[in-house]
Amino acid sequence: MSARRQAAPGRAGGRRRRSPLVVGLAAFVAIVLVQAVFPSRARAAEFREVTSAAGVLYDGPSEHARKLFLVPRGTPLELVSSVAGWVKVRDLSGDVLWIERGELGAARHVIASTLVAVRRAPQRNAELLLQVERGVLLEVVDDEAPAGWLHVRYPGTAAGYAEAIEVWGR
């Protein structure tokens, strides 16, 4: 007699065969868990900006939490979630912090996320009006720019166009 074990009827190689319902349910649960741990970036980010002279960013949703940063008026922040008068936000560097809801308003500015070329027209070969370094605030003039561009202004200069991929806050 051979030492090899015979597979029982209905089993392949000694393994139990799972029903399609169990396999489908397991796949569904796996997808839900992955989405919970790694949320999709498919939804459009929502931004607000600091409307007070200097917004205080905390490490928790409370005035008793540790104050971590002061950010100037106009700084855009990405909304992550909110609880009872507090908003969890993400800044340009990716830090996730808390700010009081009353210190935020509609987003009218963006931040240069790299060296940004502001051009006379929304074209890469258009005349260069100015360049701004990473971290510089630019006012969004209107929403009339073509896709992939923003109509912006640096204080004291003429309005121009910046590529949307070079700024953060929209």
Side-chain angles (χ1 to χ4, degrees):
M1 181 177 238
S2 169
R4 192 184 282 176
R5 215 173 110 180
Q6 291 284 346
R11 292 185 178 189
R15 290 186 164 176
R16 174 184 267 194
R17 193 170 165 178
R18 300 195 190 275
S19 78
L21 179 61
V22 171
V23 172
L25 183 59
F28 174 75
V29 169
I31 290 169
V32 169
L33 288 174
V34 167
Q35 287 178 342
V37 174
F38 303 102
S40 171
R41 289 285 185 177
R43 69 170 176 80
E46 186 176 350
F47 290 89
R48 297 286 184 270
E49 73 177 47
V50 175
T51 56
S52 59
V56 180
L57 297 175
Y58 295 84
D59 68 352
S62 166
E63 288 181 346
H64 301 294
R66 195 171 57 169
K67 296 176 182 174
L68 298 176
F69 302 103
L70 288 176
V71 291
R73 175 181 286 128
T75 302
L77 298 167
E78 181 184 359
L79 303 183
V80 175
S81 65
S82 61
V83 294
W86 290 85
V87 181
K88 185 188 278 189
V89 295
R90 182 176 292 112
D91 66 8
L92 171 65
S93 65
D95 292 331
V96 177
L97 306 155
W98 291 88
I99 189 168
E100 289 185 77
R101 181 181 308 281
E103 292 194 48
L104 296 175
R108 297 183 349 244
H109 291 84
V110 291
I111 298 177
S113 56
T114 183
L115 182 64
V116 174
V118 178
R119 301 189 175 278
R120 183 167 308 282
Q123 301 165 344
R124 286 188 175 167
N125 61 353
E127 178 188 351
L128 180 67
L129 296 176
L130 72 137
Q131 286 186 312
V132 296
E133 293 187 16
R134 177 182 166 89
V136 172
L137 276 176
L138 295 167
E139 176 189 0
V140 177
V141 176
D142 58 44
D143 292 326
E144 301 302 315
W149 292 86
L150 291 172
H151 194 199
V152 298
R153 177 186 351 249
Y154 180 75
T157 66
Y161 295 87
E163 283 193 81
I165 61 170
E166 294 181 338
V167 298
W168 189 83
R170 280 282 165 122

